[in-house]
Every structure is written in structure tokens, then in C-alpha cells.
């Protein structure tokens, strides 16, 4: 697969599409929700019938980072793609599962060569990921994607609220595989796990861990004050222990009652740990090596990087180097999301991607 991209800081769709021709699929991002409908309609008018999804957020392609206007990433060569949408994504996306089923039939789904990339409305992640993964993973198809920084997403020229738009790919010349990159580790010699003893998942709120307020446990474990909690998550997020893997849970806020709100829900009797930042440069190199070893040097990687990851990398003056490292090894493009999706899991502070052989 090959990427071609265009952008316009002014939000001029024609300018962004100037160098794009004969795309098999399109993925676009705009910087505000009020630009979404206009962009979706103009792209559909220019390329009628071409699979296209879009959302709100910053984006990147090769070494370039885009934080204004519109960016369009076109995909072409050796792929077959269908775009569709699951509506009522936070309530009952399963009602629309026939659309995913039809997309798989249309591309001629094949294990190892078929995968899904999605972008969903903010707040719709949990049910959207569960619905997509339950259907895809039993067929051996991977899922990667993320969350738009808005209530709406676009698909094939239309805008939908509370929805999950997806591109269903078949690689005609090789494999497609999903990867996630976690730059956080368990502190050496300290892999303590804390049971969630009171929570309200629908509000993304953790009241108590081990019957202690979430605020008190977090601050006492790290030796910090309450006012440091929301920035400390960049270095020490929660981790949800799930079997042999750990999925990141970012902290959003701390409440007056000592509860902590997060960007990913936790349930009563979940086990959480407090993670520490690892050597992110080494982790990035490990990810690049894994993709190359698995796919023999993937020519294209479509990814979602968490907003918190971007902020942290930027603060560490590593973001430009990160894009350059990925670009040296692959054709790399994607967007900055406010949540990430990897097969069966909705995660935070992570990079998730589809790699195409």
C-alpha cells in the first residue's frame, strides 16, 4: 500500500486534494467539528464512491505534523477497501453489524490479509470496540483505530454523531497486522496490584482502590500532592491488568470526594497497577523491529497516537524525532486521538496501528 497526502492550514479542501488522484480509500482529519460536514461533502464530490472516513484531531504523514485546517491521507495500490459506519455507537452499535458483515463480503475477507481501522465519536469507544472486535477477531481479522476529538465522525460524505466509522481493508499482496505500543512499565521490584472496590464505569469514575479513596492511594504510592495528579498521569498512568497484558488508563481529573475520573472506564474488582515511563526511544525501536520481523519491512503503517503521548513526546522534544524514526522505516501516517483501539481493548496513552506488508 502507498500513502499520498495533502493538507491546507486554511481548511481549503481543494488545496488538500490537489496532489491526490485515483485513491482506493481516504482518511481525513480536521481541527474542529464545524469543519467536518463541509470537508466530508467536498471530498465525496471530488471522489464519489471512494471509501472515506474522517474525524477531528491533529494528524501526521511521514515527517510532517499538521495542527491546523484539514489533512487528507489517501491510500492506494494493492488494497480493496469498504467504508461504513456503526450508528448509536455508545448505546447499541450491534444493530448495525450487518454493515460490517457486508463490508467483509465485499472485500473478500481473508484471515491475515483483512483488517479494520476505525474512528469513533468521543465517549463511544467501549461498545464500539467490543462490537467490532467480537465480530472481527473470531474471523482472525485485526482491529486498530482511535477516537475523534468530537461527538461526530464522517463516513462517505455524511456526518454522524455517536457513531463509529470504519475502513475495512483487504491487502491484495500480503498481510495486515495490528500492533500497539506501550511506553510504560511496572516499576522495577514493585508490581503491586490494587483492586477497584468502588467505581461507576458509565461516568469513568473510580471511587476507591482497596477501600481507600483513589486520590489517597495514588498520591501516597507516588509521594505527591493532590494538585499534581492530573499531570503525573503523563509519567505514571494506571494500568489495567488483563491476563498477561496491561492496558493503560489515563487520569482525567480528581474530584472533591477523592474519586478519580479517567479516560477509560474501570469496573469493580478490576485490578489496576501504577505504571512508570520506560525508555520510550528503545520501545519505539522495538516496535519498528517487530513490524519488520513480522512483515519483512512493512511499506505502510496507518496509526493513531494518543493526545497524551503527543503532549509528552513534545514536552520531551522527541515528537519530531519519533516521526522521523517511523518515516525512516515505513511510509507512516495517521492522527492524534483521544483514545486508542487495539483488537479487543480500548486503551489510553498508547500508539495503535495497522501495518501493511
Amino acid at each position: 500500500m502507498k500513502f499520498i497526502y495533502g493538507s491546507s492550514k486554511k481548511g481549503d479542501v481543494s488545496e488538500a486534494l490537489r496532489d491526490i488522484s485515483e485513491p482506493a480509500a481516504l482518511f481525513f482529519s480536521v481541527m474542529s467539528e464545524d469543519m467536518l460536514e463541509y470537508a466530508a461533502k467536498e471530498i465525496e464530490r471530488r471522489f464519489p464512491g471512494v471509501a472515506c472516513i474522517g474525524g477531528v484531531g491533529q494528524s501526521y504523514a511521514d515527517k510532517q505534523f499538521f495542527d491546523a485546517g484539514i489533512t487528507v491521507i489517501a491510500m492506494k495500490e494493492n488494497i480493496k477497501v469498504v467504508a461504513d459506519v456503526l450508528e448509536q455507537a455508545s448505546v447499541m452499535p450491534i444493530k448495525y453489524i450487518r454493515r460490517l458483515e457486508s463490508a467483509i463480503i465485499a472485500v473478500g475477507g481473508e484471515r491475515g490479509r483483512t483488517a479494520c481501522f476505525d474512528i469513533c465519536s468521543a465517549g463511544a469507544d467501549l461498545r464500539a470496540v467490543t462490537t467490532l472486535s467480537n465480530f472481527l477477531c473470531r474471523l482472525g481479522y485485526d482491529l486498530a483505530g482511535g477516537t475523534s476529538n468530537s461527538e461526530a465522525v464522517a463516513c462517505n460524505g455524511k456526518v454522524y454523531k455517536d457513531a463509529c466509522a470504519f475502513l475495512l481493508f483487504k491487502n491484495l499482496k500480503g498481510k495486515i497486522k495490528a500492533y500497539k505500543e506501550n511506553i510504560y512499565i511496572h516499576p522495577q521490584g514493585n508490581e503491586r496490584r490494587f483492586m477497584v472496590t468502588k467505581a461507576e464505569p458509565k461516568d469513568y469514575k473510580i471511587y476507591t482502590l482497596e477501600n481507600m479513596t483513589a486520590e489517597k492511594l495514588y498520591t501516597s504510592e507516588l509521594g505527591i500532592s493532590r494538585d499534581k495528579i492530573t499531570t503525573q498521569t503523563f509519567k505514571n498512568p494506571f494500568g489495567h491488568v488483563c491476563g498477561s497484558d496491561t492496558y493503560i488508563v489515563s487520569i482525567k481529573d480528581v474530584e472533591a470526594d477523592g474519586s478519580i475520573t479517567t479516560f477509560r472506564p474501570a469496573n469493580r474488582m478490576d485490578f489496576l497497577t501504577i505504571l512508570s515511563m520506560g525508555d520510550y526511544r528503545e520501545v519505539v525501536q522495538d516496535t519498528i523491529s517487530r513490524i519488520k520481523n513480522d512483515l519483512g519491512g512493512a511499506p505502510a503503517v496507518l496509526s493513531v497516537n494518543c493526545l497524551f503521548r503527543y503532549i509528552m513526546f513534545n514536552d520531551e522534544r522527541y515528537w519530531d524525532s519519533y516521526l522521523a524514526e517511523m518515516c525512516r522505516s515505513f511510509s507512516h501516517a495517521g492522527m492524534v486521538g483521544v483514545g486508542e483501539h487495539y483488537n479487543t481493548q480500548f486503551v489510553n496513552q498508547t500508539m495503535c496501528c495497522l501495518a501493511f506488508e
Side-chain angles (χ1 to χ4, degrees), residues 163-206:
C164 180
F166 63 85
L167 294 171
L168 199 284
F169 291 95
K170 181 176 181 180
N171 188 349
L172 302 178
K173 293 291 186 178
K175 301 174 187 175
I176 313 176
K177 188 172 172 58
Y179 295 85
K180 74 175 176 70
E181 182 175 88
N182 176 3
I183 61 172
Y184 297 90
I185 60 173
H186 295 281
Q188 193 166 4
N190 180 17
E191 296 184 15
R192 294 183 62 194
R193 299 181 180 188
F194 309 101
M195 181 186 286
V196 177
T197 44
K198 184 180 179 184
E200 186 49 76
K202 69 180 178 65
D203 295 328
Y204 289 32
K205 186 173 286 191
I206 303 168

Side-chain angles (χ1 to χ4, degrees), residues 157-270:
K158 296 181 180 179
V159 170
Y160 300 83
K161 290 200 172 184
D162 189 19
C164 180
F166 63 85
L167 294 171
L168 199 284
F169 291 95
K170 181 176 181 180
N171 188 349
L172 302 178
K173 293 291 186 178
K175 301 174 187 175
I176 313 176
K177 188 172 172 58
Y179 295 85
K180 74 175 176 70
E181 182 175 88
N182 176 3
I183 61 172
Y184 297 90
I185 60 173
H186 295 281
Q188 193 166 4
N190 180 17
E191 296 184 15
R192 294 183 62 194
R193 299 181 180 188
F194 309 101
M195 181 186 286
V196 177
T197 44
K198 184 180 179 184
E200 186 49 76
K202 69 180 178 65
D203 295 328
Y204 289 32
K205 186 173 286 191
I206 303 168
Y207 286 98
T208 61
L209 294 158
E210 301 292 342
N211 295 315
M212 183 186 302
T213 66
E215 173 203 337
K216 186 174 180 181
L217 186 139
Y218 186 80
T219 56
S220 61
E221 285 292 315
L222 295 174
I224 62 170
S225 58
R226 171 192 170 92
D227 63 311
K228 303 289 187 186
I229 292 176
T230 54
T231 53
Q232 195 69 30
T233 191
F234 290 101
K235 293 184 177 179
N236 299 107
F238 284 122
H240 175 208
V241 181
C242 186
S244 60
D245 213 339
T246 301
Y247 298 94
I248 300 168
V249 182
S250 299
I251 295 171
K252 183 178 183 180
D253 211 347
V254 57
E255 308 297 335
D257 61 2
S259 62
I260 286 177
T261 53
T262 59
F263 285 95
R264 176 183 184 273
N267 298 294
R268 184 175 174 272
M269 298 185 73
D270 279 351

